[in-house]
Amino acid sequence: MQKQGRISVRGIVQGVGFRPFVYAKAIELGIFGRVKNLGSEVEIIARGDRFEDFVAAVSRGPLMARIDSVEVTDFSGIVPEGFFIEKSATGSFSGMIPPDIAICSECVNDIFTPGGRYEGYWATSCVNCGPRYSIIGAIPYDRERTSMDKFPMCEPCAGEYGDPHSRRHHAQTIACHACGPQLRLIDKTGADLPCADPIREAAALLDKGRILAIRGIGGFHLACTEESSGELKKRLGRVEQPFAVMTRPGYAEEIANISKAEHELLESPVHPIVVLEKRDHASHEGISNLHTIGCMLPYTGLHHLLFSHLKHPLLIMTSANMPGYPMITDTETALVKLAKDADYFLVHNRAIANRVDDSVIRDGYILRLSRGIAPKRTAIDLGDKCILGVGPELNANATIYKGGFAITSPHVGNVRNPATLAYLQETIEKLSRLLGAEYDIVAHDLHPQFLSTRYAKEIAEEKGIGLVPVQHHRAHIAATTTGPCVGIAIDGVGYGDDGTVWGGEVFAGQVPDLARVAHLEPVPMPGGDLATKFPERMLYGILPSDACLDLLGRRGWTEVELGVIKKQVATGFNVTMTSSTGRVLDAAAALLGICRERTYDGEPAMKLEATAVGGTPEAWEPVITASGGCDVLSTRAILSTALSRYTAASAGDKKAVRDIAASVQYNLARGIAALAIRAAEREGIKTVVLSGGVVANRAIRETIRNEVTDAGLSFFINDAYPPGDGCVSFGQCVWAGMLFKQRA
């Protein structure tokens, strides 16, 4: 039986209280020795009769740790009497810092314990909770390499920090009223408001209908009560876009139907925004005019204290940045950019080292990968090369693969503007430093004009390394599985092999050999991107008929406008061809008069889904033809039937509109599933996988699932990554890694 040795622990062992955990177990089991951080791993020298029990305990680790390996080797040196936590040293970069963790219930209790050291302190945390990624500058994870470095511990905090029996033993974020970050309530000029308690005064202002910019863990939120939501939408110019809300604990159940799994998510260490179905679909329309509402619970001490003073049960809590742009993190920028949006600013003086937006989850699927989930670390064997995936253009993030692990950054945004591109570059540089990454390959989207593609080429040229273009939808499938499959990718846009816009694709094979075997019918987008802003253009692109022209004419299109679009589609001038699923849903929303102008990303499809809830779908026979060696589903046939049903319905017949909306979704999904089933039978493949932003649509997703499984095939969606474009950078790394493994 071994009684002494060196234990090397690798994985996510920084920022999770691993050293205090080891110390506590050593004392409990009578072990002598020491523990220290070495880069992103932990080294333990240990001696004692219960050495093997100690190794077993260390191998389990604390709650937030993710252990990859535990290696025990002989150690013949001197082991000190007692057990010590030693000063960190540089070493390997095999692990990663965990995401930011919501405040734990024990710290919440500390905040509301009368007379306690932490009573009323907004930044209370312990070894089990609080900011991590948002404050880290370098590893090993110690206070001097975080944003807490500017706040030397007071004597009582230092005492708890050094106390092995304290929950804050070696908690790098420990702080209190006396020594920690402080809050200020300021006006638009940056001047302090005279008040003894900034949080109490902020709550009073919110109750009076004021709009506040609140500096949180990873950036600024704009906050207001429900009564002020219309004013906030007006100021932001987002009259139709739904807001997320933060609710008092227990109140979300009053406004939404919450399953057991959703309840667990809301209260998990992630504390994400969870998209829930409203109890009354017509309620809270000032917040969301959909049948759903995004809810989250307070996840910091600041939030809990705010609600303790607030009379209202919920707050609008929306990211204080233009959609697709980086979050605002510093007070000076916020005062300039939010001057027209916010009346007052509740700010703190702890630096935000890394932006982190709120994560969003619906039906167990991640819609936005960020706070509490990312950086996301996935074990996967992609060979021995270090790979960077720079992501797509919309809803982008980045992934770095090194040494058997892929690390995906939090959500970055839409990399079609210089500010977000700069944020992507900043994110990649910081992750690279934390991981010690030296790339051998850069993977990027196939689209030659994307700013992310140009950035990838610049990196490859500068470093003299390989460059791998990856078609957008194949990256979606690669992020879902590396095994043999029929892969369905349904989303808005993606540059195809033929230079057209893809978005309703079926592939067969195995990464990196996925052949396109079926797709939605290519249809014209009159005016290109203009057809995404004005979905009625997309409608006519799919249905270039007199009946469609008559409909548009009744809606106010002039003869000149009708003549222009008719000629445009007939001649193909300024027309892009697309097989996009999203564009079909846009056209259906336009047909039914649900959304005639898109004001935010995904609006037509989201409103179509909301309208379809409660509708009774009618089964229409899918029309499938062959073209270019592929099966092709006719979306014209689906929308033509929808148009005839709509024309036959009585004016103002809301039930007919609901039924037609439900029928379009149902038959589109059935047709897509039929393409996949035919491909699976033809190719002799038993597994069908699904990815793409349209997966968020419950009716479409579940119809495809049911059709596929009823055909006796297995069905899979990767719920560890977003089905939308938040998985693409990971898929790019997977594709590039498998490609080079194949060539080896």
Side-chain angles (χ1 to χ4, degrees):
M1 179 181 292
Q2 188 171 359
K3 294 187 177 183
Q4 179 170 313
R6 175 186 282 108
I7 309 166
S8 297
V9 186
R10 298 179 178 87
I12 299 180
V13 291
Q14 304 281 309
V16 294
F18 203 91
R19 288 174 296 170
F21 172 84
V22 170
Y23 182 96
K25 288 299 177 184
I27 300 304
E28 176 188 332
L29 298 172
I31 299 295
F32 298 143
R34 60 174 174 79
V35 58
K36 70 188 299 185
N37 280 338
L38 288 179
S40 58
E41 67 180 66
V42 169
E43 180 190 73
I44 307 164
I45 302 298
R47 170 173 59 85
D49 290 341
R50 300 186 65 184
F51 178 84
E52 292 184 355
D53 292 339
F54 178 65
V55 171
V58 166
S59 300
R60 291 190 294 271
L63 180 65
M64 300 307 296
R66 296 294 180 269
I67 297 174
D68 301 329
S69 66
V70 177
E71 182 182 3
V72 181
T73 56
D74 291 335
F75 180 76
S76 57
I78 297 174
V79 178
E81 298 294 319
F83 199 89
F84 305 91
I85 297 178
E86 293 194 343
K87 185 176 177 62
S88 299
T90 57
S92 75
F93 292 88
S94 60
M96 187 59 202
I97 294 298
D100 298 284
I101 305 164
I103 186 171
C104 67
S105 58
E106 291 174 293
C107 281
V108 173
N109 289 336
D110 287 343
I111 289 172
F112 292 106
T113 299
R117 275 205 333 115
Y118 301 98
E119 181 186 5
Y121 184 57
W122 74 277
T124 299
S125 65
C126 70
V127 76
N128 299 318
C129 69
R132 295 295 189 269
Y133 175 72
S134 63
I135 64 170
I136 189 69
I139 54 174
Y141 175 73
D142 288 303
R143 194 179 182 96
E144 62 266 25
R145 284 177 284 273
T146 74
S147 300
M148 294 301 297
D149 184 42
K150 303 297 182 184
F151 306 98
M153 287 180 279
C154 64
E155 188 173 335
C157 281
E160 284 192 68
Y161 182 88
D163 181 2
H165 303 291
S166 170
R167 201 174 75 251
R168 296 182 173 90
H169 184 214
H170 271 258
Q172 306 304 329
T173 55
I174 188 172
C176 69
H177 291 283
C179 65
Q182 300 297 308
L183 289 172
R184 298 167 61 209
L185 183 60
I186 59 178
D187 63 19
K188 294 184 179 185
T189 70
D192 288 274
L193 269 65
C195 60
D197 186 342
I199 298 178
R200 184 186 296 272
E201 183 62 25
L205 289 169
L206 287 164
D207 277 327
K208 291 175 184 176
R210 304 296 189 267
I211 297 171
L212 269 66
I214 300 176
R215 191 174 191 230
I217 285 180
F220 273 86
H221 286 98
L222 287 170
C224 68
T225 61
E226 184 169 6
E227 289 79 1
S228 299
S229 60
E231 175 62 21
L232 179 55
K233 286 188 175 185
K234 180 180 174 183
R235 293 186 190 185
L236 294 174
R238 299 185 228 161
V239 178
E240 293 292 319
Q241 188 169 3
F243 283 141
V245 300
M246 181 177 284
T247 72
R248 188 187 308 280
Y251 185 73
E253 289 85 345
E254 296 184 26
I255 64 175
N257 299 311
I258 305 178
S259 68
K260 181 181 178 182
E262 288 167 336
H263 192 272
E264 290 173 353
L265 263 177
L266 284 166
E267 295 192 333
S268 71
V270 176
H271 268 53
I273 297 170
V274 180
V275 180
L276 303 168
E277 185 172 348
K278 296 177 186 174
R279 287 189 178 274
D280 176 1
H281 291 178
S283 66
H284 305 285
E285 286 201 333
I287 297 171
S288 168
N289 55 16
L290 306 175
H291 66 298
T292 57
I293 186 168
C295 295
M296 59 180 161
L297 298 180
Y299 58 84
T300 69
L302 171 59
H303 297 144
H304 282 278
L305 287 165
L306 197 57
F307 273 96
S308 73
H309 300 303
L310 199 70
K311 295 176 182 177
H312 286 74
L314 67 79
L315 287 175
I316 298 349
M317 196 71 79
T318 187
S319 300
N321 51 279
M322 290 292 291
Y325 280 72
M327 285 191 78
I328 298 169
T329 57
D330 64 280
T331 301
E332 292 73 18
T333 302
L335 286 169
V336 173
K337 293 194 173 183
L338 303 178
K340 295 180 180 179
D341 303 325
D343 299 315
Y344 299 96
F345 297 75
L346 182 60
V347 301
H348 60 78
N349 59 342
R350 181 177 64 203
I352 297 173
N354 302 296
R355 293 176 175 90
V356 188
D357 212 332
D358 295 313
S359 290
V360 182
I361 297 177
R362 182 183 180 191
D363 295 338
Y365 297 103
I366 302 166
L367 303 187
R368 184 164 67 204
L369 181 75
S370 208
R371 177 186 52 77
I373 306 175
K376 182 172 182 57
R377 186 169 181 266
T378 299
I380 185 170
D381 181 10
L382 300 177
D384 57 3
K385 294 185 181 296
C386 183
I387 307 168
L388 168 65
V390 298
E393 182 179 54
L394 304 179
N395 299 312
N397 54 24
T399 298
I400 296 172
Y401 171 79
K402 178 189 173 189
F405 294 91
I407 294 87
T408 301
S409 79
H411 170 79
V412 169
N414 296 347
V415 190
R416 56 172 41 168
N417 60 75
T420 314
L421 176 65
Y423 176 30
L424 177 70
Q425 294 169 329
E426 173 191 320
T427 299
I428 289 171
E429 288 165 5
K430 286 184 176 179
L431 278 182
S432 298
R433 286 199 305 271
L434 290 172
L435 294 167
E438 295 290 340
Y439 321 124
D440 301 303
I441 304 166
V442 183
H444 63 88
D445 196 274
L446 186 64
H447 200 301
Q449 300 304 317
F450 279 0
L451 294 182
S452 57
T453 298
R454 297 181 189 180
Y455 173 50
K457 291 179 178 179
E458 289 171 5
I459 294 174
E461 185 175 345
E462 176 189 337
K463 297 182 178 293
I465 58 177
L467 196 64
V468 178
V470 185
Q471 198 279 322
H472 182 90
H473 300 99
R474 290 187 176 93
H476 269 285
I477 304 307
T480 308
T481 183
T482 57
C485 72
V486 169
I488 305 170
I490 46 176
D491 66 1
V493 295
Y495 189 79
D497 297 342
D498 56 4
T500 64
V501 179
W502 290 5
E505 314 306 316
V506 178
F507 301 95
Q510 182 173 2
V511 175
D513 295 309
L514 289 176
R516 187 192 194 206
V517 295
H519 54 84
L520 299 189
E521 177 181 16
V523 293
M525 292 175 63
D529 284 345
L530 200 61
T532 67
K533 182 172 177 59
F534 299 102
E536 285 175 337
R537 299 182 68 87
M538 195 68 235
L539 174 62
Y540 184 75
I542 298 177
L543 294 179
S545 64
D546 290 340
C548 187
L549 289 175
D550 290 342
L551 174 65
L552 299 182
R554 292 194 300 273
R555 291 182 178 175
W557 281 55
T558 67
E559 289 297 325
V560 172
E561 290 170 332
L562 292 172
V564 168
I565 195 170
K566 184 176 180 180
K567 184 175 181 180
Q568 193 172 33
V569 171
T571 62
F573 177 74
N574 193 23
V575 168
T576 302
M577 299 301 291
T578 182
S579 57
S580 164
T581 309
R583 298 296 78 81
V584 177
L585 299 174
D586 289 355
L591 166 63
L592 299 175
I594 297 164
C595 183
R596 299 181 61 195
E597 179 180 354
R598 189 198 69 178
T599 63
Y600 62 88
D601 188 33
E603 179 182 3
M606 291 166 71
K607 287 186 172 178
L608 179 72
E609 180 187 7
T611 300
V613 173
T616 302
E618 179 185 8
W620 306 332
E621 191 64 29
V623 177
I624 297 175
T625 59
S627 177
C630 292
D631 283 345
V632 179
L633 175 67
S634 174
T635 51
R636 281 194 171 97
I638 294 171
L639 288 187
S640 180
T641 304
L643 176 58
S644 66
R645 298 290 193 275
Y646 183 68
T647 303
S650 302
D653 187 345
K654 292 183 179 180
K655 184 181 186 311
V657 171
R658 286 199 302 271
D659 290 348
I660 297 167
S663 296
V664 169
Q665 293 183 154
Y666 178 63
N667 290 290
L668 180 61
R670 285 178 65 234
I672 291 168
L675 294 177
I677 293 166
R678 287 161 63 110
E681 292 172 349
R682 190 167 55 244
E683 303 292 334
I685 297 174
K686 297 297 184 181
T687 300
V688 175
V689 303
L690 178 63
S691 185
V694 178
V695 170
N697 183 305
R698 182 187 296 168
I700 292 176
R701 178 186 70 240
E702 295 308 315
T703 298
I704 293 174
R705 183 198 305 273
N706 293 337
E707 294 285 320
V708 168
T709 54
D710 286 350
L713 301 168
S714 64
F715 180 82
F716 177 68
I717 301 172
N718 186 354
D719 59 7
Y721 283 85
D725 284 2
C727 75
V728 169
S729 68
F730 173 61
Q732 290 170 346
C733 283
V734 172
W735 186 277
M738 299 302 287
L739 181 67
F740 276 81
K741 284 183 72 174
Q742 184 186 72
R743 293 175 179 175

